[in-house]
Amino acid sequence: MRIESQKFNGVCECGENHKMTTRAAIIESHASANVRDYLREFGFEGSFAAIYDENTYQAKALNHPDASLEIVLPPENLHANERATDFVLSKLKGHTVRYLVAVGSGTIHDTTRYCAHKLGIPFVSMPTAASVDGFCSTVSAMTWRGCKKTMPGVAPDLVIADTSVIKEAPLRLNLSGIGDILGKYSALADWQIASAVTGEHFCSRIHELTMKAVQTVYECCDQVVSREEGACAQLIYALLLSGLAMQMMGNSRPASGAEHHISHTIEMEPPAIGVHSDGLHGEKVGVGEIMISQWYHKLVSIHDIENHVQEYRFWTEEELREFWGDSLYEGIAAENDSDAMAGVSPEDLIHAWPEIRKIVNSIPTPEDLEKLYTRLGMKKTLEDLQVPEDKADQILYFSPSVRKRTTFNRISRMIKL
Protein backbone atom coordinates (compact mmCIF):
# COMPACT_ATOMS: atom_id res chain seq x y z
CA MET A 1 0.00 0.00 0.00
CA ARG A 2 1.00 3.63 -0.36
CA ILE A 3 0.18 6.79 1.50
CA GLU A 4 0.12 9.63 -1.02
CA SER A 5 0.74 12.29 1.60
CA GLN A 6 0.69 15.23 -0.79
CA LYS A 7 -3.10 14.96 -0.85
CA PHE A 8 -3.07 16.44 2.66
CA ASN A 9 -1.53 19.67 1.35
CA GLY A 10 -3.49 22.86 1.05
CA VAL A 11 -5.94 25.14 2.77
CA CYS A 12 -8.08 23.30 5.32
CA GLU A 13 -11.53 24.04 6.69
CA CYS A 14 -9.74 24.90 9.96
CA GLY A 15 -8.27 27.91 8.18
CA GLU A 16 -4.67 26.70 8.05
CA ASN A 17 -2.63 25.98 4.93
CA HIS A 18 -1.21 22.53 5.73
CA LYS A 19 2.15 21.78 4.13
CA MET A 20 3.60 18.30 3.74
CA THR A 21 7.29 17.57 3.18
CA THR A 22 6.95 13.80 2.85
CA ARG A 23 5.86 12.96 -0.66
CA ALA A 24 4.83 9.35 -0.11
CA ALA A 25 5.14 6.32 2.15
CA ILE A 26 5.54 2.90 0.58
CA ILE A 27 4.44 0.00 2.80
CA GLU A 28 5.13 -3.30 1.07
CA SER A 29 6.53 -6.76 1.69
CA HIS A 30 10.22 -7.01 0.61
CA ALA A 31 10.29 -3.29 -0.17
CA SER A 32 13.96 -3.09 0.88
CA ALA A 33 14.86 -5.25 -2.13
CA ASN A 34 13.53 -2.54 -4.44
CA VAL A 35 14.99 0.58 -2.83
CA ARG A 36 16.84 1.72 -5.96
CA ASP A 37 13.60 1.57 -7.98
CA TYR A 38 11.72 3.63 -5.40
CA LEU A 39 14.53 6.17 -5.12
CA ARG A 40 14.64 6.56 -8.89
CA GLU A 41 10.85 6.91 -9.07
CA PHE A 42 10.99 9.85 -6.67
CA GLY A 43 13.99 11.52 -8.28
CA PHE A 44 16.76 10.51 -5.87
CA GLU A 45 20.01 10.18 -7.79
CA GLY A 46 23.67 10.17 -6.88
CA SER A 47 25.61 9.15 -3.80
CA PHE A 48 24.02 8.71 -0.39
CA ALA A 49 24.93 7.51 3.08
CA ALA A 50 22.91 4.84 4.92
CA ILE A 51 22.84 5.14 8.71
CA TYR A 52 22.20 2.15 11.00
CA ASP A 53 23.04 0.91 14.44
CA GLU A 54 24.62 -2.54 14.79
CA ASN A 55 21.26 -4.16 15.59
CA THR A 56 19.36 -2.68 12.65
CA TYR A 57 22.29 -3.49 10.36
CA GLN A 58 21.63 -7.15 11.19
CA ALA A 59 17.82 -6.94 10.93
CA LYS A 60 16.18 -10.10 9.60
CA ALA A 61 14.96 -10.02 5.97
CA LEU A 62 16.60 -6.62 5.40
CA ASN A 63 18.22 -5.90 2.04
CA HIS A 64 20.79 -3.16 2.54
CA PRO A 65 20.40 -0.22 0.16
CA ASP A 66 23.34 0.19 -2.21
CA ALA A 67 24.82 3.17 -0.38
CA SER A 68 28.05 5.02 -1.18
CA LEU A 69 28.79 5.07 2.55
CA GLU A 70 27.48 3.00 5.46
CA ILE A 71 27.60 4.46 8.97
CA VAL A 72 26.90 1.98 11.77
CA LEU A 73 26.49 3.33 15.28
CA PRO A 74 27.36 1.15 18.30
CA PRO A 75 24.12 0.19 20.10
CA GLU A 76 25.44 0.43 23.68
CA ASN A 77 23.83 3.39 25.47
CA LEU A 78 22.72 4.76 22.11
CA HIS A 79 20.40 7.76 22.27
CA ALA A 80 19.45 10.58 19.92
CA ASN A 81 21.84 13.07 21.48
CA GLU A 82 24.95 15.15 20.82
CA ARG A 83 27.19 12.06 20.98
CA ALA A 84 25.28 10.19 18.27
CA THR A 85 25.04 13.20 15.95
CA ASP A 86 28.73 14.01 16.41
CA PHE A 87 29.56 10.39 15.53
CA VAL A 88 27.54 10.53 12.28
CA LEU A 89 28.77 13.98 11.26
CA SER A 90 32.40 12.95 11.86
CA LYS A 91 31.96 9.88 9.63
CA LEU A 92 30.49 12.06 6.89
CA LYS A 93 33.48 14.41 6.83
CA GLY A 94 35.37 14.15 3.58
CA HIS A 95 32.45 12.50 1.79
CA THR A 96 30.07 14.21 -0.59
CA VAL A 97 26.59 12.73 -0.33
CA ARG A 98 23.37 14.14 -1.75
CA TYR A 99 21.04 12.63 0.83
CA LEU A 100 20.88 10.34 3.86
CA VAL A 101 18.92 7.12 4.41
CA ALA A 102 17.91 6.25 7.99
CA VAL A 103 17.66 2.46 8.44
CA GLY A 104 16.33 1.70 11.90
CA SER A 105 13.86 2.88 14.50
CA GLY A 106 13.32 6.11 16.43
CA THR A 107 16.84 6.85 17.65
CA ILE A 108 18.39 6.39 14.22
CA HIS A 109 15.70 8.55 12.62
CA ASP A 110 16.02 11.44 15.07
CA THR A 111 19.81 11.35 14.74
CA THR A 112 19.63 11.24 10.94
CA ARG A 113 17.02 13.99 10.57
CA TYR A 114 19.11 16.28 12.78
CA CYS A 115 22.25 15.57 10.72
CA ALA A 116 20.31 16.11 7.47
CA HIS A 117 19.19 19.48 8.83
CA LYS A 118 22.76 20.42 9.76
CA LEU A 119 24.00 19.47 6.27
CA GLY A 120 21.06 20.99 4.42
CA ILE A 121 20.24 17.79 2.54
CA PRO A 122 17.13 15.55 2.41
CA PHE A 123 16.74 12.13 3.92
CA VAL A 124 14.79 8.94 3.26
CA SER A 125 13.23 6.82 5.99
CA MET A 126 13.53 3.02 6.15
CA PRO A 127 11.94 1.86 9.44
CA THR A 128 13.00 -1.62 10.56
CA ALA A 129 10.43 -1.85 13.37
CA ALA A 130 7.03 -0.30 14.05
CA SER A 131 8.27 1.15 17.33
CA VAL A 132 7.42 4.89 17.30
CA ASP A 133 5.35 7.43 15.39
CA GLY A 134 8.22 9.85 14.75
CA PHE A 135 9.42 8.53 11.40
CA CYS A 136 7.72 11.40 9.53
CA SER A 137 8.44 14.08 12.12
CA THR A 138 9.70 17.49 11.05
CA VAL A 139 11.75 17.89 14.24
CA SER A 140 14.29 15.83 16.15
CA ALA A 141 13.29 14.52 19.59
CA MET A 142 16.66 14.65 21.32
CA THR A 143 18.12 14.22 24.77
CA TRP A 144 20.48 17.18 24.63
CA ARG A 145 22.88 17.59 27.53
CA GLY A 146 20.48 15.59 29.66
CA CYS A 147 17.28 17.49 28.78
CA LYS A 148 14.53 16.27 26.48
CA LYS A 149 14.40 18.86 23.73
CA THR A 150 12.74 19.38 20.39
CA MET A 151 15.66 20.14 18.08
CA PRO A 152 15.69 21.18 14.41
CA GLY A 153 15.29 18.44 11.84
CA VAL A 154 13.77 17.65 8.49
CA ALA A 155 10.95 15.29 7.59
CA PRO A 156 11.78 12.44 5.21
CA ASP A 157 11.03 13.06 1.56
CA LEU A 158 10.10 9.39 1.21
CA VAL A 159 9.38 6.45 3.52
CA ILE A 160 10.11 2.87 2.46
CA ALA A 161 8.66 0.44 5.00
CA ASP A 162 9.44 -3.24 4.40
CA THR A 163 6.76 -5.22 6.23
CA SER A 164 8.71 -8.47 5.88
CA VAL A 165 11.43 -6.80 7.99
CA ILE A 166 9.02 -5.16 10.44
CA LYS A 167 7.19 -8.40 11.26
CA GLU A 168 10.55 -10.01 12.15
CA ALA A 169 11.55 -7.18 14.50
CA PRO A 170 11.77 -8.01 18.19
CA LEU A 171 8.18 -8.11 19.46
CA ARG A 172 9.08 -5.65 22.20
CA LEU A 173 9.75 -2.96 19.57
CA ASN A 174 6.39 -3.40 17.85
CA LEU A 175 4.62 -3.47 21.24
CA SER A 176 6.34 -0.16 21.93
CA GLY A 177 4.75 1.18 18.74
CA ILE A 178 1.35 0.06 20.00
CA GLY A 179 2.00 1.91 23.27
CA ASP A 180 2.97 5.06 21.39
CA ILE A 181 -0.23 4.93 19.32
CA LEU A 182 -2.54 4.20 22.27
CA GLY A 183 -1.12 7.30 23.93
CA LYS A 184 -2.98 9.35 21.31
CA TYR A 185 -6.22 8.79 23.21
CA SER A 186 -5.12 11.23 25.91
CA ALA A 187 -3.00 13.39 23.57
CA LEU A 188 -6.03 14.11 21.39
CA ALA A 189 -8.18 14.68 24.48
CA ASP A 190 -5.60 17.15 25.82
CA TRP A 191 -5.72 19.05 22.52
CA GLN A 192 -9.52 19.23 22.56
CA ILE A 193 -9.56 20.29 26.21
CA ALA A 194 -6.94 22.98 25.60
CA SER A 195 -9.08 24.31 22.76
CA ALA A 196 -12.17 24.34 25.00
CA VAL A 197 -10.39 26.12 27.87
CA THR A 198 -7.91 28.45 26.15
CA GLY A 199 -9.21 28.73 22.58
CA GLU A 200 -6.10 27.01 21.19
CA HIS A 201 -6.36 26.29 17.46
CA PHE A 202 -7.92 22.90 16.73
CA CYS A 203 -8.18 21.06 13.41
CA SER A 204 -10.88 18.39 13.19
CA ARG A 205 -9.29 16.94 10.04
CA ILE A 206 -5.98 16.28 11.79
CA HIS A 207 -7.85 14.93 14.82
CA GLU A 208 -9.79 12.55 12.57
CA LEU A 209 -6.61 11.39 10.80
CA THR A 210 -4.87 10.63 14.10
CA MET A 211 -7.89 8.90 15.61
CA LYS A 212 -8.07 6.73 12.49
CA ALA A 213 -4.50 5.64 13.25
CA VAL A 214 -5.45 4.78 16.85
CA GLN A 215 -8.50 2.77 15.85
CA THR A 216 -6.53 0.91 13.18
CA VAL A 217 -4.05 -0.30 15.79
CA TYR A 218 -6.70 -1.08 18.41
CA GLU A 219 -8.36 -3.45 15.93
CA CYS A 220 -5.23 -5.33 14.83
CA CYS A 221 -2.93 -5.36 17.88
CA ASP A 222 -3.55 -9.03 18.73
CA GLN A 223 -2.42 -10.03 15.24
CA VAL A 224 0.75 -7.93 15.64
CA VAL A 225 1.66 -10.14 18.61
CA SER A 226 1.26 -13.24 16.45
CA ARG A 227 3.51 -11.58 13.80
CA GLU A 228 0.92 -11.49 11.04
CA GLU A 229 2.47 -9.39 8.32
CA GLY A 230 -0.80 -7.69 7.40
CA ALA A 231 -1.27 -6.49 10.98
CA CYS A 232 2.31 -5.25 11.14
CA ALA A 233 1.60 -3.34 7.92
CA GLN A 234 -1.44 -1.75 9.59
CA LEU A 235 0.66 -0.81 12.63
CA ILE A 236 3.36 0.93 10.62
CA TYR A 237 0.63 2.55 8.49
CA ALA A 238 -0.94 3.98 11.67
CA LEU A 239 2.41 5.21 13.01
CA LEU A 240 3.15 6.94 9.71
CA LEU A 241 -0.33 8.50 9.64
CA SER A 242 0.30 9.92 13.10
CA GLY A 243 3.60 11.37 11.93
CA LEU A 244 1.97 12.90 8.86
CA ALA A 245 -0.68 14.46 11.12
CA MET A 246 2.16 16.15 13.01
CA GLN A 247 3.55 17.43 9.71
CA MET A 248 0.16 18.89 8.84
CA MET A 249 -0.02 20.59 12.22
CA GLY A 250 3.57 21.79 12.14
CA ASN A 251 4.24 20.40 15.62
CA SER A 252 3.58 17.34 17.80
CA ARG A 253 0.28 18.59 19.28
CA PRO A 254 -1.92 15.81 17.77
CA ALA A 255 0.37 13.06 19.03
CA SER A 256 1.91 14.16 22.30
CA GLY A 257 0.19 15.17 25.52
CA ALA A 258 0.38 14.42 29.22
CA GLU A 259 1.23 10.75 28.62
CA HIS A 260 4.34 11.79 26.65
CA HIS A 261 5.32 14.26 29.36
CA ILE A 262 5.42 11.32 31.78
CA SER A 263 7.67 9.43 29.36
CA HIS A 264 9.97 12.45 28.95
CA THR A 265 10.17 12.94 32.71
CA ILE A 266 11.27 9.34 33.25
CA GLU A 267 13.77 9.59 30.38
CA MET A 268 15.38 12.72 31.87
CA GLU A 269 16.07 10.90 35.17
CA PRO A 270 15.44 13.79 37.59
CA PRO A 271 17.18 13.38 40.97
CA ALA A 272 13.83 13.23 42.79
CA ILE A 273 13.05 9.97 40.97
CA GLY A 274 16.64 8.77 41.24
CA VAL A 275 16.47 5.81 38.88
CA HIS A 276 17.34 4.85 35.33
CA SER A 277 14.70 3.10 33.23
CA ASP A 278 15.57 0.78 30.38
CA GLY A 279 12.04 1.12 29.04
CA LEU A 280 11.54 2.01 25.39
CA HIS A 281 9.84 5.30 24.54
CA GLY A 282 6.54 3.66 23.56
CA GLU A 283 6.60 1.48 26.68
CA LYS A 284 6.87 4.59 28.84
CA VAL A 285 4.12 6.30 26.86
CA GLY A 286 1.92 3.23 27.29
CA VAL A 287 2.39 3.23 31.06
CA GLY A 288 1.86 6.99 31.05
CA GLU A 289 -1.44 6.48 29.23
CA ILE A 290 -2.75 4.25 32.03
CA MET A 291 -1.63 6.77 34.67
CA ILE A 292 -3.23 9.68 32.83
CA SER A 293 -6.44 7.75 32.14
CA GLN A 294 -6.77 6.97 35.85
CA TRP A 295 -6.11 10.59 36.87
CA TYR A 296 -8.38 12.15 34.23
CA HIS A 297 -11.31 9.84 34.95
CA LYS A 298 -10.93 10.59 38.67
CA LEU A 299 -11.04 14.33 37.97
CA VAL A 300 -14.17 14.21 35.83
CA SER A 301 -15.99 12.16 38.45
CA ILE A 302 -16.62 15.64 39.90
CA HIS A 303 -19.99 16.72 38.47
CA ASP A 304 -20.06 20.30 39.76
CA ILE A 305 -16.58 21.79 39.56
CA GLU A 306 -17.38 25.28 40.88
CA ASN A 307 -16.47 24.62 44.52
CA HIS A 308 -13.23 22.85 43.53
CA VAL A 309 -11.67 25.54 41.33
CA GLN A 310 -8.77 27.76 42.36
CA GLU A 311 -6.49 30.23 40.59
CA TYR A 312 -3.80 28.64 38.44
CA ARG A 313 -0.37 28.56 40.04
CA PHE A 314 2.93 27.81 38.34
CA TRP A 315 5.48 25.75 40.26
CA THR A 316 7.89 27.70 42.45
CA GLU A 317 11.57 27.74 41.57
CA GLU A 318 12.25 25.89 44.82
CA GLU A 319 9.82 23.10 43.85
CA LEU A 320 11.28 22.73 40.38
CA ARG A 321 14.89 22.74 41.58
CA GLU A 322 14.11 20.14 44.24
CA PHE A 323 12.51 17.80 41.70
CA TRP A 324 14.65 18.38 38.60
CA GLY A 325 17.94 19.24 40.27
CA ASP A 326 20.17 22.19 39.43
CA SER A 327 21.53 20.59 36.25
CA LEU A 328 18.07 20.15 34.67
CA TYR A 329 16.35 23.16 36.20
CA GLU A 330 17.75 25.74 33.75
CA GLY A 331 16.41 23.80 30.77
CA ILE A 332 12.99 23.42 32.42
CA ALA A 333 12.88 27.14 33.25
CA ALA A 334 13.82 28.06 29.66
CA GLU A 335 11.12 25.74 28.28
CA ASN A 336 8.55 27.54 30.42
CA ASP A 337 9.75 31.07 29.68
CA SER A 338 6.11 31.90 28.95
CA ASP A 339 3.37 29.91 30.66
CA ALA A 340 0.92 28.08 28.41
CA MET A 341 -1.78 28.70 31.02
CA ALA A 342 -1.28 32.45 31.32
CA GLY A 343 -4.61 34.26 31.42
CA VAL A 344 -6.77 31.19 32.09
CA SER A 345 -9.30 32.04 34.79
CA PRO A 346 -11.37 29.82 37.10
CA GLU A 347 -14.41 30.99 35.13
CA ASP A 348 -12.88 29.62 31.92
CA LEU A 349 -12.52 26.19 33.51
CA ILE A 350 -16.02 26.21 35.01
CA HIS A 351 -17.51 27.17 31.64
CA ALA A 352 -15.64 24.39 29.81
CA TRP A 353 -16.22 21.68 32.45
CA PRO A 354 -19.21 19.90 30.79
CA GLU A 355 -17.24 19.64 27.54
CA ILE A 356 -14.12 18.47 29.39
CA ARG A 357 -16.08 15.67 31.09
CA LYS A 358 -17.44 14.56 27.71
CA ILE A 359 -13.97 14.55 26.13
CA VAL A 360 -12.33 12.60 28.97
CA ASN A 361 -15.04 9.95 28.87
CA SER A 362 -13.90 9.12 25.32
CA ILE A 363 -10.57 7.88 26.74
CA PRO A 364 -10.51 4.15 27.58
CA THR A 365 -10.63 3.51 31.30
CA PRO A 366 -7.44 2.37 33.07
CA GLU A 367 -9.11 -1.01 33.68
CA ASP A 368 -9.76 -1.49 29.95
CA LEU A 369 -6.20 -0.47 29.09
CA GLU A 370 -4.74 -2.83 31.70
CA LYS A 371 -6.76 -5.74 30.31
CA LEU A 372 -5.52 -4.96 26.80
CA TYR A 373 -1.89 -4.60 27.89
CA THR A 374 -2.06 -7.86 29.83
CA ARG A 375 -3.42 -9.70 26.82
CA LEU A 376 -0.68 -8.30 24.56
CA GLY A 377 2.15 -8.70 27.08
CA MET A 378 2.87 -4.95 27.32
CA LYS A 379 4.39 -3.13 30.28
CA LYS A 380 1.65 -1.71 32.52
CA THR A 381 3.19 -0.14 35.61
CA LEU A 382 6.01 2.13 36.72
CA GLU A 383 7.57 -0.91 38.40
CA ASP A 384 7.71 -2.56 34.95
CA LEU A 385 9.90 0.41 33.92
CA GLN A 386 12.16 0.08 37.02
CA VAL A 387 10.53 3.19 38.53
CA PRO A 388 9.19 2.89 42.12
CA GLU A 389 5.40 3.12 42.28
CA ASP A 390 5.66 5.59 45.16
CA LYS A 391 7.04 8.13 42.66
CA ALA A 392 3.76 8.22 40.71
CA ASP A 393 2.31 11.27 42.46
CA GLN A 394 5.52 13.27 41.97
CA ILE A 395 5.67 12.32 38.29
CA LEU A 396 2.05 13.35 37.75
CA TYR A 397 2.62 16.62 39.60
CA PHE A 398 5.84 17.72 37.88
CA SER A 399 5.64 16.14 34.41
CA PRO A 400 3.61 19.02 32.87
CA SER A 401 6.61 21.30 33.45
CA VAL A 402 8.66 19.32 30.94
CA ARG A 403 6.85 21.03 28.04
CA LYS A 404 5.22 24.40 27.51
CA ARG A 405 1.93 22.84 26.44
CA THR A 406 -1.59 22.99 27.85
CA THR A 407 -2.83 19.57 28.94
CA PHE A 408 -5.61 18.58 31.29
CA ASN A 409 -2.90 17.51 33.72
CA ARG A 410 -1.52 21.05 33.72
CA ILE A 411 -5.04 22.48 34.00
CA SER A 412 -5.65 20.19 37.00
CA ARG A 413 -3.41 22.50 39.03
CA MET A 414 -6.56 24.64 39.22
CA ILE A 415 -8.62 21.83 40.78
CA LYS A 416 -8.81 21.13 44.53
CA LEU A 417 -9.86 17.56 45.36
Side-chain angles (χ1 to χ4, degrees), residues 7 28 46 59 78 110 117 131 151 172 187 204 212 293 304 320 330 353 358 399-400:
K7 69 183 180 182
E28 293 180 4
L78 178 62
D110 282 316
H117 164 77
S131 54
M151 304 286 285
R172 184 185 179 192
S204 58
K212 179 182 178 182
S293 173
D304 185 356
L320 292 176
E330 297 301 331
W353 192 248
K358 179 180 176 183
S399 59

Side-chain angles (χ1 to χ4, degrees), residues 116-134:
H117 164 77
K118 293 286 285 185
L119 297 170
I121 58 176
F123 94 97
V124 173
S125 162
M126 287 185 62
T128 55
S131 54
V132 293
D133 70 346

Side-chain angles (χ1 to χ4, degrees), residues 11-79:
V11 177
C12 178
E13 62 185 18
C14 77
E16 293 293 316
N17 184 14
H18 300 309
K19 296 180 180 179
M20 303 294 290
T21 299
T22 302
R23 289 182 279 168
I26 297 160
I27 306 168
E28 293 180 4
S29 187
H30 305 291
S32 63
N34 302 306
V35 169
R36 274 293 180 186
D37 293 337
Y38 298 133
L39 292 175
R40 194 175 300 113
E41 177 184 347
F42 286 89
F44 286 95
E45 301 289 349
S47 62
F48 67 92
I51 300 170
Y52 312 75
D53 65 38
E54 289 177 14
N55 293 327
T56 62
Y57 194 81
Q58 302 294 337
K60 291 181 181 179
L62 175 67
N63 289 275
H64 290 198
D66 185 19
S68 309
L69 175 68
E70 291 186 331
I71 300 173
V72 184
L73 286 88
E76 294 81 14
N77 199 29
L78 178 62
H79 301 284

Side-chain angles (χ1 to χ4, degrees), residues 229-301:
E229 189 167 347
C232 292
Q234 290 298 315
L235 175 57
I236 192 66
Y237 168 79
L239 291 164
L240 294 174
L241 270 188
S242 178
L244 293 171
M246 287 188 273
Q247 273 194 45
M248 290 176 70
M249 187 66 192
N251 57 54
S252 64
R253 179 42 126 170
S256 175
E259 75 300 321
H260 270 70
H261 298 166
I262 287 174
S263 174
H264 296 332
T265 298
I266 295 169
E267 288 162 356
M268 289 169 66
E269 301 179 16
I273 297 178
V275 297
H276 169 75
S277 170
D278 292 325
L280 301 173
H281 171 72
E283 292 174 331
K284 294 168 186 166
V285 170
V287 171
E289 181 65 14
I290 291 178
M291 292 173 64
I292 288 299
S293 173
Q294 185 176 40
W295 177 228
Y296 283 13
H297 282 285
K298 179 179 180 178
L299 289 168
V300 301
S301 67

Side-chain angles (χ1 to χ4, degrees), residues 86-97:
D86 286 349
F87 182 92
V88 172
L89 292 171
S90 69
K91 295 294 183 182
L92 287 168
K93 279 185 179 178
H95 297 273
T96 301
V97 295

Side-chain angles (χ1 to χ4, degrees), residues 205 231 309 395:
R205 186 182 181 199
V309 177
I395 292 170

Side-chain angles (χ1 to χ4, degrees), residues 190-357:
D190 277 332
W191 188 18
Q192 289 177 289
I193 290 169
S195 181
V197 174
T198 71
E200 180 180 329
H201 176 77
F202 179 79
C203 176
S204 58
R205 186 182 181 199
I206 294 176
H207 178 276
E208 181 182 348
L209 187 69
T210 308
M211 187 54 73
K212 179 182 178 182
V214 178
Q215 290 167 342
T216 295
V217 171
Y218 197 89
E219 292 168 4
C220 74
C221 51
D222 289 283
Q223 288 73 42
V224 170
V225 173
S226 57
R227 295 187 182 277
E228 294 183 21
E229 189 167 347
C232 292
Q234 290 298 315
L235 175 57
I236 192 66
Y237 168 79
L239 291 164
L240 294 174
L241 270 188
S242 178
L244 293 171
M246 287 188 273
Q247 273 194 45
M248 290 176 70
M249 187 66 192
N251 57 54
S252 64
R253 179 42 126 170
S256 175
E259 75 300 321
H260 270 70
H261 298 166
I262 287 174
S263 174
H264 296 332
T265 298
I266 295 169
E267 288 162 356
M268 289 169 66
E269 301 179 16
I273 297 178
V275 297
H276 169 75
S277 170
D278 292 325
L280 301 173
H281 171 72
E283 292 174 331
K284 294 168 186 166
V285 170
V287 171
E289 181 65 14
I290 291 178
M291 292 173 64
I292 288 299
S293 173
Q294 185 176 40
W295 177 228
Y296 283 13
H297 282 285
K298 179 179 180 178
L299 289 168
V300 301
S301 67
I302 303 171
H303 290 265
D304 185 356
I305 195 67
E306 189 166 353
N307 293 328
H308 297 271
V309 177
Q310 61 190 0
E311 293 286 343
Y312 174 77
R313 182 185 68 83
F314 191 70
W315 300 263
T316 66
E317 179 178 339
E318 182 181 5
E319 283 182 300
L320 292 176
R321 282 191 184 276
E322 184 176 353
F323 180 79
W324 292 106
D326 290 338
S327 63
L328 293 175
Y329 168 76
E330 297 301 331
I332 294 296
E335 172 66 24
N336 292 279
D337 58 350
S338 60
D339 195 338
M341 288 287 290
V344 176
S345 69
E347 291 73 25
D348 293 327
L349 179 54
I350 292 167
H351 177 75
W353 192 248
E355 181 66 15
I356 291 171
R357 296 187 72 229

